[in-house]
């Protein structure tokens, strides 16, 4: 009973650290990538989809939390649904969790999947580790922090490659631009804490007003790319990004960024639903690909 309780306590803690509300950012693109190959469901995709839940999100956010303990301790958002606040003693637990949960999947992919797919997967993992870990630490490098988040779109590349299909590049490039824009927009709420800790991010460098132009340009580029694939998705993207940008433009402060953050979290759910419903409908009716 004691061991079982301990195991479940560890799983619950690691799950909290992995920020389940944000799993949509990894599982969503992979699911869309599977649909874009012309399959409503493929059992071969199941290991990839499972990997992109707790294991990979623990890699993203657990590693980030280990190396951001100083700033997280002063951040009122931490310790809530928006992210865990860890203590130093948990660093080794997170490290073991990342290795034990990701290692078997990566070995399986290396042995089973085509080389092109595994190379994109390896780059995917390395970029997110490099985001937090010195000496790369993209998080503290203006514009590299934003650009590195383009990796969230990589499942739209490696999932089709895993099934011997060609990626739909306008969708992939559009999501890369979208992800870079969203990262900088979301970082506005942390400008004060990052500046106090000496962390120079794109949001810190540009300030909230500059982020409106930076993220607005990237979201406009994403909208154009999405329009080449699906006009309703492009229109939804334009509407939601326009709402977020206008809100920040009217009152360009970190507090406004925090107030708008729930809508930013909902953004991929709403846009993904519009894309997903259409794709599922088309696949069910035999109208796609």
């Amino acid at each position: 009973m004691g061991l079982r309780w301990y195991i479940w306590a560890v799983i619950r803690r690691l799950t909290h650290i992995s920020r389940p509300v944000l799993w949509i950012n990894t599982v969503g693109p992979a699911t869309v990538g599977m649909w874009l190959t012309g399959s409503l469901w493929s059992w071969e995709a199941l290991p990839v989809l499972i990997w992109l839940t707790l294991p990979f999100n623990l890699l993203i956010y657990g590693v980030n939390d280990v190396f951001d303990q100083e700033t997280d301790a002063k951040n009122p958002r931490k310790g809530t649904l928006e992210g865990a606040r860890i203590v130093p003693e948990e660093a080794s637990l997170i490290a073991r969790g990342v290795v034990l949960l990701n290692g078997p999947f990566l070995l399986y992919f290396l042995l089973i999947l085509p080389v092109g797919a595994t190379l994109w997967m390896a780059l995917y993992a390395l970029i997110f580790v490099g985001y937090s870990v010195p000496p790369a630490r993209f998080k503290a490098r203006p514009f590299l922090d934003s650009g590195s988040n383009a990796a969230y779109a990589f499942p739209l590349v490696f999932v089709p490659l895993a099934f011997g299909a060609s990626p739909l590049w306008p969708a992939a490039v559009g999501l890369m631009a979208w992800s870079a824009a969203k990262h900088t927009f979301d970082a506005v709420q942390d400008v004060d804490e990052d500046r106090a800790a000496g962390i120079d991010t794109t949001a810190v460098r540009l300030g909230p007003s500059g982020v409106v132009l930076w993220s607005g340009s990237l979201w406009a580029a994403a909208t154009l790319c999405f329009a080449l694939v699906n006009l309703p998705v492009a229109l939804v993207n334009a509407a939601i990004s326009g709402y977020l940008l206008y809100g920040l433009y009217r009152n360009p402060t970190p507090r406004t960024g925090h107030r708008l953050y729930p809508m930013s979290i909902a953004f991929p759910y709403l846009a993904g639903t519009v894309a997903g419903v259409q794709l599922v409908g088309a696949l069910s009716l035999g109208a796609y690909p």
Side-chain angles (χ1 to χ4, degrees):
M1 183 67 179
L3 178 60
R4 183 184 303 176
W5 178 88
Y6 174 76
I7 291 173
W8 277 113
V10 168
I11 292 173
R12 285 196 301 270
R13 181 57 176 162
L14 293 180
T15 299
H16 182 208
I17 292 170
S18 74
R19 305 184 199 179
V21 72
L22 299 181
W23 289 6
I24 185 67
N25 294 326
T26 53
V27 178
T31 302
V32 172
M34 177 183 67
W35 289 339
L36 290 176
T37 66
S39 297
L40 186 61
W41 173 252
S42 172
W43 284 105
E44 295 176 353
L46 185 59
V48 177
L49 295 175
I50 294 175
W51 175 54
L52 295 177
T53 58
L54 172 60
F56 194 76
N57 282 278
L58 182 64
L59 181 148
I60 297 174
Y61 301 114
V63 171
N64 180 262
D65 287 346
V66 168
F67 287 89
D68 280 4
Q69 293 179 62
E70 181 181 349
T71 54
D72 286 352
K74 304 172 185 177
N75 192 330
R77 293 195 301 116
K78 299 302 180 178
T80 68
L81 184 67
E82 298 179 28
R85 180 182 287 116
I86 70 167
V87 296
E89 292 75 19
E90 291 182 298
S92 60
L93 172 66
I94 293 170
R96 290 195 299 271
V98 168
V99 172
L100 292 175
L101 290 174
N102 285 273
F105 283 100
L106 294 174
L107 179 61
Y108 171 81
F109 297 147
L110 183 64
L111 295 175
I112 300 298
L113 298 182
V115 173
T118 56
L119 287 176
W120 276 93
M121 287 176 156
L123 182 61
Y124 186 55
L126 285 173
I127 287 175
F128 281 115
V129 170
Y131 178 81
S132 300
V133 178
R137 195 155 168 78
F138 303 133
K139 174 186 175 71
R141 299 179 185 272
F143 306 108
L144 279 177
D145 62 337
S146 178
S148 65
N149 271 254
Y152 275 109
F154 285 12
L156 286 182
V157 178
F158 64 68
V159 170
L161 290 176
F163 300 131
S166 297
L168 190 60
W169 286 108
V173 172
L175 189 56
M176 289 178 191
W178 183 93
S179 299
K182 186 176 184 296
H183 172 269
T184 305
F185 186 90
D186 289 349
V188 168
Q189 62 189 317
D190 295 325
V191 162
D192 291 339
E193 289 84 2
D194 287 341
R195 184 177 288 124
I199 298 176
D200 191 13
T201 66
T202 305
V204 168
R205 179 71 61 90
L206 296 177
S209 295
V211 168
V212 173
L213 180 59
W214 170 261
S215 292
S217 299
L218 288 170
W219 270 329
T223 298
L224 291 175
C225 289
F226 293 154
L228 297 175
V229 180
N230 186 276
L231 187 57
V233 172
L235 292 175
V236 169
N237 185 75
I240 300 176
S241 61
Y243 171 83
L244 292 171
L245 293 165
Y246 181 68
L248 187 59
Y249 169 78
R250 289 191 61 188
N251 187 18
T253 65
R255 185 173 181 177
T256 301
H258 183 63
R259 178 176 60 81
L260 293 170
Y261 186 59
M263 175 55 74
S264 182
I265 289 179
F267 196 167
Y269 286 92
L270 296 172
T273 297
V274 172
V277 167
Q278 292 179 84
L279 266 173
V280 169
L283 287 167
S284 299
L285 296 172
Y288 181 86

